[in-house]
Amino acid sequence: MTRKHVLDGVKVLDFSHFVAGPHCTRLMAEAGAEVIKVEAQIGDAARHLPVIKDGRSGYFIQHNRGKKNLCLDLRTKEGQEICHELIKTVDVVIENFTPGVMKKFNMDWEAVSKVNPDVIMCSISCLGQEGPLSKLPGFDYIGQAYSGILGMTGEADGYPALSGMAFGDISTGAHAYGAIVTALYHKAMGGGGQFLDIALLDCLFSYHEMNVQVYDASGGAQVPQRSGHQHAFVAPLGLYKCKEDYLIIVAIGAQWNNLIKLLGKEEWADDPRFADPLVRNENREEISAEIERWLSTVDNVTEAVRILVQENHVPAAPVLSVPEVMSHPHMQQRGIVQTVKDPAFGEVKIPATPLRYSQFPDRLELQAPFLGEHNEEILRDRLGYSAEKISALQTSGVLNAKDI
Amino acid sequence: MVPNTMFEGVKVIDFSHYIAGPHCTKMLAEHGAEVIKIEPLTGDPVRQLPMHKDGRSACYVQHNLGKKTMSLDITRPEAQKICHDLIRDADVVVENFSPGVMKRHNMDWQTLKTINPDLVMCSISCFGQDGPLSSLPGYDFIGQSYAGIIDMNGEPDRSPVFADLSFGDVSSGTHAYAAIVSALFHRFRGGKGQHLDLCLQEILFSYHDINVQLYHASGGAYTPKRSGASHDLAAPAGIFKCGERYLFVLALGAQWDKLAKTMGREDMLSDPRFIDLTARGANKAAVNQAVQNWLDSIGDPDQALKILQDERIPSAPVLSVPEVMEHPHTQARNMVRTVNDPVWGALKIPRTPLRFSAFPEIPEQTAGFLGEYNHEILSETLGYSAENIAALETEGVINAKRV
């Protein structure tokens, strides 16, 4: 059988909103799954995030392409019945409400697994389904604060700094996607349905590739703390200034020798103060001063990176702005910036999916739905509702639709 | 038959080193795959990273749990033959060399797919397998620079900063894991093997939930820029100081009404400067000052946090890593995992964030010493004789060391 992509034929019912959940189901839709996004009457809050053009959100488009849309009142018995009937027909249910909300709608795992024991249900939350913090309102930076990520970002003597992108949400969406395909594979191999509890907090905490272990293994002697533009534990690894621009240099392995040669500091090779990356870190001010002294003799950051990388094999990179990334020849050649055509918005540029499959080199043409766009189609074709029944649901306000 | 683990019977040959690739294969191992990690004679360079005890790197342990280790000189034909023999019977190959290195060792996709057409091969690199930057040396922060991530971190008028953790590597490992499992699922349903080309730069670029679209859809009128402790577009959405502690506070929509009342600033609710999200964003200095003044009047961060959280206004203390590790919530969810290493003894690492109701427990696992499984795999899996193995040792094709 020819499939259009790796998840072709997989059916998903998606109750998620904002970013973390929608990013997960976006990845699924991009991999060919059939996603029905269920939105409450007022619609996903992401429909109100900028840029807005004629009521249509570019933000919503980015995170919701390729999904069909059903807009109904989840608080009503009729709305819940429709969802239960749909749950019987799908492989995966996804939601990212605050823990407890799905239970109020009669769609917690206990209820869902009764309706369809083979279903995979993935609950995405900020702080997890249980534990003392689980009921707090959760947003990306709340999870970042509680996972020790914010505490590790920024100058040592100043405020922690926010990262200017949805680090936690996108990450959690990708982890949820990974967990769901794992459960689908397991089910295909003879396992049953199951419940997945994916928390932003857990995902972010797993990014500490060193901090947790270093603190524990040093018996508390090494306390991870933010160090701004330099790495906390190893040197030279950090940001340096070249004229008005910044570049990053990573010279922790064999590249250290290349770097000191370039700096004319060959004598450091035998200096115990620079014996390994950890000791070098204790003397990093001296290293930084030499690097920036050399940088002051170079014309510009592009030239500095060229000399470091091409001539001396020292890993380095210019710090690019988002517009610079978008117009960079490498990104152009690999098609990392994707232009999608929205019926209301026109062209929108978004980051392309980073998952590349040799069997499916082309991206699927996908569009983001209007609110309630597929109400009729889903109720009629999937659930066999009559035209009268559908129009009664419209009249009683269980269903809603709007061109936004 | 119901499988005993998620990936029962899935065989992985892992050529990866440092963090991105090993994080991916660690996740596969944690969910039941059999992973054979092939290291060079000198070992994965991550073995040089701290902390060390008797030559054993705790950083290596964290990222290589549950893998069997072989140490081979893959520049030698004998070693390449061993790899080809193992790959013939494997489901997945993972590597994160610079593009071109696998080809030099006769293990690029073109070669491997002739040996095993059902294979799923995942190449993880900093910039991808093609394109003008692809041959550059790649590290996490290099990819972050080229993805426009680092430029977005820090105070607007100062040097950018980076988050001191492996944002790009762990991300890439997770995405690679997800792509591999997707490809395995596809193969199980009748699809063929395939090659996956994942790269750090592109994965990181996908974290721009708003910047790319905002810059383009605003016709360049809005240029994304770093904004330090406060969000660039919304307020209040940022980090405030209360006593000696930093607190994150966010109040959008109805939360803003509650916050204004909590602060005793009902007057702000009818003020046109603060009337909606856009207006508050445009007057963020005044909004943030009002929040800071209120926090100053409370003085005690625990008390302030309790007031905010009781009102369900999104807020959190900025915790240090040790504080996270000791927090009651973290403890209740077993987020910190303790593994037992033969050299280190008990060692704490982050638990995998994937939680499955069918498999609530993570298996007990250790990380292999360098070349620990050379003999077992060569003799039991590939049927090499003792003489044959001894010869490989003498010639320096294989290596082993208790590190």
Side-chain angles (χ1 to χ4, degrees):
Chain A
M1 173 180 170
T2 314
R3 295 190 189 274
K4 68 178 175 194
H5 213 301
V6 289
L7 297 186
D8 191 7
V10 171
K11 294 190 170 79
V12 183
L13 194 61
D14 175 14
F15 293 93
S16 73
H17 54 291
F18 269 124
V19 192
H23 184 71
C24 169
T25 49
R26 173 200 162 173
L27 289 169
M28 297 193 79
E30 285 178 325
E34 184 196 318
V35 180
I36 296 177
K37 180 180 172 97
V38 181
E39 286 181 74
Q41 301 289 69
I42 50 165
D44 182 343
R47 289 190 184 269
H48 305 293
L49 294 180
V51 173
I52 311 271
K53 181 170 156 186
D54 301 336
R56 179 77 163 166
S57 158
Y59 192 87
F60 180 83
I61 295 168
Q62 174 171 341
H63 301 288
N64 291 282
R65 289 160 44 255
K67 306 174 191 177
K68 292 190 172 175
N69 200 279
L70 180 62
C71 176
L72 47 75
D73 191 342
L74 289 167
R75 296 163 304 182
T76 61
K77 205 164 172 297
E78 297 93 322
Q80 291 169 16
E81 269 172 18
I82 292 170
C83 292
H84 279 198
E85 287 179 56
L86 284 170
I87 288 167
K88 284 181 200 157
T89 71
V90 300
D91 304 288
V92 180
V93 172
I94 298 173
E95 60 95 10
N96 67 341
F97 288 110
T98 303
V101 171
M102 282 299 267
K103 191 172 167 65
K104 270 200 294 223
F105 297 149
N106 288 313
M107 278 185 290
D108 56 327
W109 171 235
E110 205 186 326
V112 165
S113 59
K114 258 185 214 138
V115 173
N116 181 355
D118 282 333
V119 87
I120 291 156
M121 177 166 175
C122 180
S123 286
I124 300 172
S125 60
C126 184
L127 300 157
Q129 296 297 308
E130 83 293 312
L133 298 177
S134 63
K135 294 287 172 64
L136 289 183
F139 286 87
D140 194 325
Y141 293 115
I142 305 281
Q144 289 199 34
Y146 277 113
S147 62
I149 302 282
L150 275 187
M152 289 302 292
T153 314
E155 297 294 343
D157 55 351
Y159 274 64
L162 304 183
S163 52
M165 82 290 305
F167 182 11
D169 283 328
I170 301 289
S171 183
T172 307
H175 277 87
Y177 172 87
I180 289 167
V181 288
T182 304
L184 281 170
Y185 179 76
H186 175 68
K187 192 175 125 180
M189 301 298 285
Q194 61 177 313
F195 179 72
L196 312 172
D197 166 13
I198 305 296
L200 204 128
L201 176 69
D202 295 345
C203 295
L204 291 177
F205 189 64
S206 79
Y207 282 81
H208 291 296
E209 98 286 14
M210 288 188 88
N211 299 328
V212 174
Q213 164 268 119
V214 166
Y215 175 71
D216 180 54
S218 69
Q222 297 270 2
V223 182
Q225 45 207 196
R226 62 181 174 279
S227 53
H229 55 283
Q230 299 280 334
H231 194 275
F233 296 122
V234 294
L237 197 178
L239 291 158
Y240 303 89
K241 200 164 185 182
C242 178
K243 302 292 185 283
E244 290 312 303
D245 295 307
Y246 296 95
L247 75 163
I248 192 143
I249 298 176
V250 185
I252 50 173
Q255 301 102 358
W256 165 250
N257 295 319
N258 302 344
L259 179 68
I260 59 177
K261 212 168 137 196
L262 171 67
L263 298 177
K265 299 296 271 182
E266 283 96 336
E267 68 266 27
W268 283 359
D270 306 316
D271 191 329
R273 293 177 306 142
F274 305 113
D276 65 51
L278 270 180
V279 184
R280 272 171 232 151
N281 197 41
E282 288 165 22
N283 302 294
R284 71 177 181 210
E285 296 303 326
E286 204 177 332
I287 302 172
S288 299
E290 277 305 315
I291 292 174
E292 294 203 332
R293 184 196 56 75
W294 174 72
L295 285 171
S296 71
T297 67
V298 183
D299 286 351
N300 56 52
V301 73
T302 311
E303 180 62 3
V305 169
R306 194 191 63 76
I307 295 171
L308 283 160
V309 176
Q310 308 292 350
E311 294 182 8
N312 293 277
H313 303 288
V314 175
V319 173
L320 300 184
S321 68
V322 171
E324 286 170 331
V325 178
M326 290 167 70
S327 60
H328 195 285
H330 184 79
M331 289 36 126
Q332 304 265 327
Q333 181 171 330
R334 282 182 59 87
I336 296 175
V337 183
Q338 185 178 3
T339 304
V340 299
K341 289 192 175 64
D342 183 74
F345 208 105
E347 289 193 346
V348 190
K349 286 191 176 165
I350 62 170
T353 175
L355 308 186
R356 291 175 186 262
Y357 301 85
S358 65
Q359 277 200 35
F360 302 98
D362 296 322
R363 300 190 183 111
L364 302 173
E365 284 284 331
L366 304 172
Q367 287 195 340
F370 294 108
L371 187 62
E373 182 179 345
H374 305 94
N375 284 351
E376 259 188 84
E377 179 191 317
I378 293 163
L379 293 176
R380 188 188 57 225
D381 298 349
R382 282 288 276 276
L383 301 182
Y385 278 33
S386 67
E388 293 73 37
K389 201 167 166 186
I390 294 170
S391 97
L393 288 166
Q394 271 158 356
T395 315
S396 62
V398 174
L399 297 175
N400 186 27
K402 205 175 165 187
D403 271 357
I404 54 167
Chain B
M1 195 190 82
V2 180
N4 289 315
T5 64
M6 293 281 182
F7 297 129
E8 189 178 12
V10 172
K11 290 183 184 150
V12 182
I13 309 297
D14 176 14
F15 293 92
S16 73
H17 55 291
Y18 274 123
I19 314 279
H23 185 74
C24 166
T25 50
K26 176 198 168 188
M27 290 177 84
L28 288 163
E30 281 177 328
H31 301 119
E34 185 198 313
V35 179
I36 296 179
K37 180 179 170 101
I38 312 275
E39 292 180 71
L41 300 184
T42 50
D44 180 343
V46 86
R47 291 185 184 273
Q48 311 305 321
L49 292 182
M51 298 301 296
H52 283 101
K53 183 177 174 182
D54 301 337
R56 175 78 160 169
S57 158
C59 192
Y60 178 88
V61 173
Q62 172 170 345
H63 298 287
N64 291 282
L65 289 170
K67 306 176 192 175
K68 294 187 170 182
T69 43
M70 292 186 81
S71 174
L72 308 174
D73 180 359
I74 61 166
T75 64
R76 308 269 293 262
E78 304 94 306
Q80 290 170 13
K81 182 180 182 308
I82 292 170
C83 294
H84 286 178
D85 286 344
L86 288 171
I87 289 165
R88 191 165 289 120
D89 190 38
D91 302 284
V92 179
V93 164
V94 179
E95 62 95 8
N96 66 341
F97 288 112
S98 289
V101 172
M102 284 296 269
K103 186 173 168 66
R104 213 155 62 216
H105 299 132
N106 291 313
M107 280 186 288
D108 57 322
W109 172 239
Q110 294 305 321
T111 307
L112 295 187
K113 74 177 179 187
T114 63
I115 293 173
N116 180 353
D118 288 334
L119 187 70
V120 173
M121 174 174 181
C122 182
S123 294
I124 306 169
S125 59
C126 192
F127 297 104
Q129 298 299 307
D130 53 30
L133 298 178
S134 63
S135 61
L136 290 185
Y139 285 90
D140 192 327
F141 300 111
I142 305 264
Q144 288 194 37
S145 298
Y146 276 109
I149 300 280
I150 288 188
D151 187 58
M152 292 300 293
N153 290 341
E155 299 294 335
D157 53 351
R158 293 184 65 182
S159 157
V161 298
F162 52 81
D164 218 329
L165 40 107
S166 223
F167 179 15
D169 283 334
V170 175
S171 264
S172 300
T174 304
H175 279 83
Y177 169 88
I180 289 167
V181 182
S182 301
L184 285 174
F185 179 68
H186 176 65
R187 194 186 72 168
F188 178 80
R189 297 195 306 160
K192 289 198 193 70
Q194 60 181 316
H195 183 225
L196 311 170
D197 164 16
L198 273 78
C199 74
L200 210 122
Q201 185 209 15
E202 194 171 340
I203 289 161
L204 290 172
F205 189 65
S206 80
Y207 278 80
H208 291 297
D209 65 316
I210 192 164
N211 299 328
V212 176
Q213 172 265 126
L214 207 55
Y215 175 71
H216 176 250
S218 70
Y222 178 82
T223 305
K225 51 189 180 295
R226 59 182 173 275
S227 60
S230 307
H231 199 279
D232 197 29
L233 295 171
I239 298 163
F240 299 88
K241 207 160 185 187
C242 186
E244 287 307 300
R245 175 166 293 284
Y246 292 104
L247 298 180
F248 176 80
V249 181
L250 170 78
L252 310 166
Q255 295 147 353
W256 163 248
D257 295 15
K258 280 196 284 187
L259 179 62
K261 282 176 194 150
T262 303
M263 300 191 302
R265 291 299 308 269
E266 285 89 344
D267 60 300
M268 293 179 84
L269 293 174
S270 51
D271 191 323
R273 289 177 301 154
F274 313 120
I275 207 70
D276 60 25
L277 208 58
T278 315
R280 291 193 292 279
N283 295 290
K284 64 184 177 191
V287 174
N288 289 340
Q289 193 56 55
V291 176
Q292 188 57 59
N293 290 346
W294 176 72
L295 288 171
D296 288 344
S297 75
I298 303 288
D300 174 14
D302 294 334
Q303 197 195 336
L305 203 58
K306 182 164 184 338
I307 295 170
L308 291 168
Q309 293 188 338
D310 284 350
E311 289 293 328
R312 297 196 57 73
I313 294 161
S315 48
V318 175
L319 301 182
S320 69
V321 172
E323 286 171 330
V324 177
M325 291 166 72
E326 280 140 30
H327 195 284
H329 185 79
T330 312
Q331 305 262 332
R333 283 180 64 81
N334 293 318
M335 212 166 85
V336 184
R337 177 180 174 194
T338 303
V339 295
N340 288 304
D341 184 71
V343 173
W344 271 100
L347 187 66
K348 287 184 177 168
I349 63 169
R351 182 202 190 279
T352 172
L354 307 191
R355 293 174 187 261
F356 300 90
S357 65
F359 299 96
E361 307 294 335
I362 308 171
E364 283 285 326
Q365 293 168 322
T366 53
F369 292 112
L370 184 64
E372 183 176 346
Y373 294 85
N374 284 351
H375 283 251
E376 180 187 310
I377 292 163
L378 288 172
S379 70
E380 290 172 23
T381 310
L382 300 182
Y384 279 41
S385 68
E387 294 75 34
N388 216 333
I389 296 171
L392 290 169
E393 249 160 9
T394 316
E395 290 157 20
V397 178
I398 62 176
N399 186 29
K401 201 175 168 192
R402 201 181 147 83
V403 289

